[in-house]
Amino acid sequence: MKDLNSKLSIVSPTQIQYTLFSGGAPNEYTYFHNMVLNILREFPKDLLQLEDAAGYYDLLFRSGLSRGINLYLLQAKLFAGDRTMNITLFNEYSGLFNMDLVKVFFIDCSISNHEQIGHLVADTSFGYYTIIDDADEENRAFYNAENFFADAQGLIKLLQRDLPKINGILRREHDIEIGTFNFDINPKVDELNPFYPTAYSHSNYFLLNQILANDWLKKHEWPDKEKMLMFTKRKALIQLDQATVIDGLSQVIRIKEPAVPIEPLYPPIVIIAPFHFPKYKKLVTNPFETKRQKMLFRVSQTEQELDYTYMVNEDVQRELQSDVIGETLSGLTQRLNFVDYAGYLHAQLANSPMFRMPIMGKSLNMDLSHFENAFSTRKQAIKKIETIGELMRKKMMIPELKEYLEERNGQIVFISDLPMEWLKMEKYPLCFTHDICRIPEFNFSSLMNNYIHNQRLAFQISSDILQRTLIIHCASEDDHDMHRYFGGISAKQMAIGFKSVFCKTVDEIEAEVHSFKPDLLIFDCHGDFDGKELSSFLVVDGKNKIRLTGEEIISRGISAPLVFISACSTMPNYGYVKLLSDAFMQAGAFAVTATFLPIMMKDAAVLILRLLNNLKQQQDKVIFSNWLAFVSHTLRSTLISEAVRNIRSKYKLGKEIDADKVAKILLRLMIFDTRVEVLDELNAYVKSIIPEADIAFENLDHEWLSYTTLGRADLIKFELWLKAHQNINEIEV
């Protein structure tokens, strides 16, 4: 490796491009994709790993950059032209996002144009291929068998064979070269990363292999069936053991002081919390009618115990044969595996550990369905949130996972349709103690596209983010309350530095966004959801029935890298598929903050101004490392502000409550190790002034619990933090 210990490019020629040529329709995920995403976990993402996997891991940490498998999902039929046209089209498309020399192809045996794809692979300078499920002899003849591989070890042997030619180009065009492949990193590597015969452990095993290279040194072997039984009851604990190893390795390479004291100590953990889609019957053309069909559907919606065993009802077991039940559960397992494979890709981006919770459904449905209707009081809504949070902990979280998370100073990426922010820990919901972002689970295309978007593109928050912030206000002209709050926000434009506009139509919104090209786009308006269409929307003008829908967001390109929606109920959490967050991300957003519930106009306006003022504080100083930390603190700090405001109002206090003291409490809220103590500290301080005063968590309105952040907000770094981190770690990018 030449000069790469001190220099790493955002786009690197040493990355390996993996292209899947399928025979299905766009956004259709088939058995072929399932097979490839499964085995793809065994493969390297960069040539540098083959020289020194541990060194590459260290290099990525010191650079602060995200890197996963460079994945392309393409339909083979797109390359049905002549030979020159096909290779030109392929090179132009892949060249938009990378400069990879090595290109690896996974080919669906069912495609109809093997001749064209075979020529395309042959015309790629360093092109290697495998055919899933094999092809017949006639179609195999279109490919150069010398570049065929059967598994990761086979590909590595081909790369070793061609390494002199690859290095020739790397030296000539980039002044770097790859050294001899070396996988013998640590004599105790098999103790650190043993292979367990349970699918729940495999993603973490292959994530560790990306660092330790033990599976490339010697491919894993499955134990005898007799030995496999001993692992069946330890599936969750094995995952936690593996996560602890990944966490430990992250500390081995953290040898310098952090750029800021409050940055997370560990990499984000990816937790899959699967949920049976509660309105599946609405999506089916012919709903289940016969008794047998209904029974089979109930099996497909089976929940799991904490040890991952399926809980099939006794009446179903009496009605259906065991092999029929087993086959149906096998389909459910395949679906869960799909999510696991996508989760692995997301975990690669930050070298994260993974954990999969048991799948839930009917146990939560009734309580979640209550949020489709308005609660008569805010306290009723908060009580229901607490009920759901406790139920999720009871049904989905083993005690060891709870203890692990309580002690773990790291952010959390949930892949789930559930409001995992509300998961109740000892005293508080998880989002109070931890920074949480989510990626919805049901729309698998969106889950995969989110990964590909973050792998190919990077967005960093510049110091002049406020000058790149656009707030769009929308409401009917006779909505005087909303307009009053609009005016209060708009009046701060000059002092803070953002731009604020009022729009009456979708055309005006489109024009403003395209003209301004914001980095941060804030919508300040009403919102709602449509139970019939299973969609959410923004209300541009309620009186004239003008809405901004997901379809229009996509077709008109209304988006920005960061989107913050200050509107009611824009992310309903009970069986909705046309989500505004998906639309904004399909139009280019990296992260979207939306709302589970209705929000109060005044509190929403105050939160917007707090967010803007907090950004202004970050203009010339390093405070937060990434957008998720910033947004999470901005939201949870409203809890302290609300508590202080309530006490001042109730006891008619003014300067008796010291602003500097409150500021110190807010500072401790920023620190993971002291965050859980903050509310008790505030309560003690208030009691020192008013002994009868009492700040109880359950008595607050908790507007902040209405918000959820979608997308990989943890990967969006502040430029000032990234530069400081790279300088400390002696990296030049």
Side-chain angles (χ1 to χ4, degrees):
M1 190 187 309
K2 182 179 179 182
D3 196 37
L4 282 185
N5 281 320
S6 61
K7 185 170 183 177
L8 183 69
S9 300
I10 292 176
V11 178
S12 170
T14 61
Q15 284 187 112
I16 301 172
Q17 177 180 318
Y18 291 91
T19 300
L20 278 58
F21 280 131
S22 68
N27 297 321
E28 179 186 6
Y29 289 87
T30 63
Y31 169 79
F32 163 74
H33 294 97
N34 195 351
M35 288 285 291
V36 176
L37 294 178
N38 178 18
I39 63 177
L40 195 58
R41 296 180 295 177
E42 303 180 23
F43 286 74
K45 54 188 173 184
D46 198 292
L47 296 173
L48 295 175
Q49 291 177 289
L50 303 178
E51 176 188 349
D52 182 1
Y56 179 74
Y57 170 64
D58 174 66
L59 190 62
L60 284 183
F61 168 77
R62 290 190 290 119
S63 73
L65 300 177
S66 304
R67 188 82 86 235
I69 281 181
N70 194 15
L71 185 63
Y72 285 71
L73 308 178
L74 298 174
Q75 292 177 273
K77 67 181 182 181
L78 295 175
F79 301 91
D82 63 48
R83 189 164 183 167
T84 302
M85 181 186 300
N86 287 339
I87 190 63
T88 300
L89 174 63
F90 177 78
N91 286 336
E92 287 179 349
Y93 179 68
S94 62
L96 291 173
F97 307 103
N98 70 69
M99 52 195 299
D100 306 355
L101 283 183
V102 172
K103 296 182 169 60
V104 178
F105 300 91
F106 289 86
I107 300 162
D108 187 344
C109 71
S110 69
I111 66 172
S112 59
N113 57 330
H114 278 283
E115 181 175 5
Q116 288 94 334
I117 297 301
H119 289 160
L120 190 155
V121 174
D123 293 340
T124 303
S125 297
F126 299 102
Y128 310 94
Y129 76 96
T130 192
I131 303 175
I132 300 301
D133 270 1
D134 207 353
D136 57 38
E137 187 174 345
E138 180 182 354
N139 285 322
R140 284 200 303 271
F142 294 122
Y143 299 89
N144 179 2
E146 292 184 358
N147 289 330
F148 170 84
F149 63 89
D151 54 19
Q153 282 71 18
L155 175 64
I156 290 170
K157 288 179 181 178
L158 294 175
L159 294 172
Q160 278 181 312
R161 181 196 70 189
D162 294 342
L163 188 59
K165 294 179 181 178
I166 293 171
N167 271 332
I169 295 176
L170 289 175
R171 282 192 297 267
R172 183 172 66 251
E173 298 183 5
H174 305 283
D175 194 30
I176 58 176
E177 67 178 48
I178 307 297
T180 304
F181 292 179
N182 176 30
F183 306 130
D184 197 1
I185 295 174
N186 187 321
K188 296 184 178 180
V189 69
D190 287 331
E191 296 177 23
L192 287 171
N193 190 27
F195 180 79
Y196 296 101
T198 167
Y200 293 85
S201 70
H202 291 171
S203 287
N204 278 331
Y205 172 81
F206 290 118
L207 285 163
L208 279 164
N209 177 63
Q210 295 284 323
I211 305 168
L212 301 173
N214 60 311
D215 200 68
W216 296 330
L217 178 65
K218 181 182 178 183
K219 188 175 176 64
H220 63 275
E221 295 180 358
W222 285 77
D224 297 334
K225 288 186 177 181
E226 295 76 22
K227 293 182 179 180
M228 291 174 64
L229 294 175
M230 62 186 291
F231 300 107
T232 57
K233 295 295 183 181
R234 296 193 63 248
K235 295 172 183 174
L237 295 178
I238 288 171
Q239 293 177 76
L240 288 179
D241 288 344
Q242 293 172 315
T244 301
V245 174
I246 295 174
D247 288 345
L249 291 173
S250 75
Q251 299 313 292
V252 171
I253 58 175
R254 187 184 279 274
I255 59 176
K256 300 290 183 70
E257 289 296 316
V260 289
I262 64 169
E263 70 181 62
L265 185 63
Y266 297 111
I269 183 172
V270 175
I271 300 180
I272 299 170
F275 180 55
H276 286 298
F277 185 71
K279 297 183 178 179
Y280 186 79
K281 291 181 180 179
K282 284 195 173 186
L283 303 179
V284 179
T285 305
N286 296 312
F288 311 101
E289 296 176 349
T290 68
K291 182 179 180 180
R292 180 179 175 80
Q293 287 175 331
K294 291 176 180 178
M295 285 286 186
L296 288 171
F297 178 71
R298 286 175 61 188
V299 174
S300 73
Q301 301 297 295
T302 299
E303 295 180 311
Q304 288 177 314
E305 299 276 10
L306 286 172
D307 64 357
Y308 304 102
T309 55
Y310 287 110
M311 302 181 291
V312 181
N313 290 348
E314 291 183 3
D315 63 324
V316 173
Q317 295 183 51
R318 288 193 298 267
E319 190 71 25
L320 298 175
Q321 294 179 340
S322 59
D323 60 334
V324 174
I325 294 174
E327 186 177 340
T328 306
L329 290 178
S330 176
L332 173 56
T333 298
Q334 182 173 323
R335 173 199 146 193
L336 293 174
N337 287 341
F338 246 134
V339 181
D340 265 2
Y341 306 152
Y344 171 83
L345 294 172
H346 277 279
Q348 267 208 344
L349 289 170
N351 291 301
S352 299
M354 282 181 62
F355 189 92
R356 197 223 286 179
M357 291 175 153
I359 188 168
M360 286 290 105
K362 61 182 180 180
S363 295
L364 298 170
N365 283 345
M366 180 178 294
D367 288 301
L368 285 171
S369 68
H370 292 165
F371 287 95
E372 291 196 290
N373 303 305
F375 289 90
S376 57
T377 66
R378 182 71 185 182
K379 281 190 176 181
Q380 286 183 341
I382 297 304
K383 186 64 178 175
K384 184 58 66 175
I385 288 174
E386 185 176 14
T387 298
I388 291 171
E390 290 176 346
L391 194 57
M392 289 193 296
R393 183 188 66 209
K394 177 183 176 183
K395 295 282 187 179
M396 305 177 74
M397 175 177 275
I398 61 171
E400 292 85 352
L401 175 60
K402 177 176 174 290
E403 293 170 9
Y404 169 76
L405 292 179
E406 284 175 338
E407 299 297 323
R408 189 179 191 274
N409 180 3
Q411 298 176 319
I412 302 176
V413 179
F414 274 107
I415 296 177
S416 183
D417 294 327
L418 289 168
M420 298 307 297
E421 295 89 340
W422 300 347
L423 179 65
K424 184 73 177 295
M425 301 298 277
E426 196 63 37
K427 293 174 62 177
Y428 305 120
L430 188 59
C431 60
F432 181 74
T433 55
H434 291 71
D435 305 336
I436 295 174
C437 58
R438 278 193 310 119
I439 308 170
E441 167 205 354
F442 179 75
N443 187 341
F444 192 77
S445 294
S446 178
L447 177 59
M448 289 296 298
N449 290 339
N450 187 280
Y451 165 76
I452 292 170
H453 185 58
N454 281 283
Q455 162 55 30
R456 292 183 187 172
L457 304 171
F459 174 74
Q460 295 160 10
I461 304 168
S462 62
S463 297
D464 62 348
I465 181 67
L466 284 169
Q467 284 72 52
R468 301 166 185 260
T469 297
L470 175 65
I471 302 179
I472 293 180
H473 306 288
C474 301
S476 304
E477 290 186 355
D478 58 359
D479 193 341
H480 303 299
D481 289 337
M482 283 288 281
H483 282 277
R484 184 169 71 254
Y485 292 116
F486 293 167
I489 294 172
S490 182
K492 301 290 185 179
Q493 289 184 82
M494 291 294 292
I496 299 178
F498 62 93
K499 181 180 180 181
S500 171
V501 297
F502 174 70
C503 294
K504 298 180 181 179
T505 66
V506 175
D507 287 339
E508 290 180 6
I509 294 172
E510 180 184 8
E512 290 288 351
V513 170
H514 289 181
S515 173
F516 190 80
K517 296 179 175 61
D519 281 354
L520 171 58
L521 176 60
I522 299 175
F523 279 94
D524 182 17
C525 56
H526 293 297
D528 208 344
F529 53 86
D530 185 331
K532 184 178 180 180
E533 295 293 325
L534 301 182
S535 65
S536 57
F537 55 86
L538 298 178
V539 179
V540 179
D541 184 338
K543 184 177 181 179
N544 293 303
K545 298 181 180 179
I546 300 175
R547 300 175 174 180
L548 177 60
T549 64
E551 289 85 352
E552 288 180 306
I553 288 168
I554 296 168
S555 64
R556 294 171 179 260
I558 298 173
S559 194
L562 304 173
V563 177
F564 190 96
I565 307 173
S566 181
C568 294
S569 306
T570 50
M571 189 65 190
N573 55 29
Y574 184 67
Y576 286 75
V577 293
K578 299 178 182 178
L579 303 173
L580 288 177
S581 60
D582 284 352
F584 280 119
M585 283 192 250
Q586 190 170 335
F590 286 84
V592 179
T593 299
T595 51
F596 290 126
L597 305 171
I599 52 178
M600 300 295 292
M601 292 183 197
K602 179 180 178 180
D603 290 333
V606 169
L607 178 59
I608 289 175
L609 289 175
R610 179 179 289 111
L611 183 142
L612 296 169
N613 280 312
N614 287 352
L615 279 176
K616 192 168 182 66
Q617 291 180 17
Q618 289 244 150
Q619 280 185 316
D620 56 359
K621 62 183 73 170
V622 182
I623 302 177
F624 294 99
S625 57
N626 59 42
W627 183 247
L628 178 57
F630 171 81
V631 168
S632 298
H633 176 74
T634 299
L635 289 172
R636 73 168 65 94
S637 64
T638 63
L639 178 66
I640 304 301
S641 302
E642 180 196 344
V644 171
R645 184 175 69 243
N646 288 353
I647 291 296
R648 278 180 168 151
S649 175
K650 182 176 181 179
Y651 296 101
K652 296 181 172 52
L653 300 176
K655 294 183 178 179
E656 293 89 344
I657 296 181
D658 184 12
D660 289 340
K661 177 65 175 178
V662 174
K664 289 179 180 178
I665 290 175
L666 285 171
L667 180 60
R668 286 174 62 77
L669 186 68
M670 297 167 67
I671 302 168
F672 175 79
D673 291 333
T674 58
R675 191 173 295 154
V676 74
E677 304 164 358
V678 161
L679 207 57
D680 289 338
E681 292 173 3
L682 178 62
N683 196 33
Y685 171 63
V686 168
K687 280 182 175 294
S688 71
I689 302 170
I690 306 290
E692 65 271 23
D694 185 30
I695 297 175
F697 185 85
E698 61 272 14
N699 291 335
L700 299 173
D701 286 340
H702 297 291
E703 279 279 315
W704 65 289
L705 287 177
S706 298
Y707 292 84
T708 180
T709 296
L710 293 308
R712 292 301 301 269
D714 61 301
L715 301 178
I716 303 170
K717 309 294 197 308
F718 282 91
E719 274 187 0
L720 285 179
W721 175 86
L722 188 59
K723 289 177 181 177
H725 175 83
Q726 291 169 345
N727 287 337
I728 290 170
N729 290 282
E730 301 172 352
I731 284 284
E732 177 189 349
V733 177

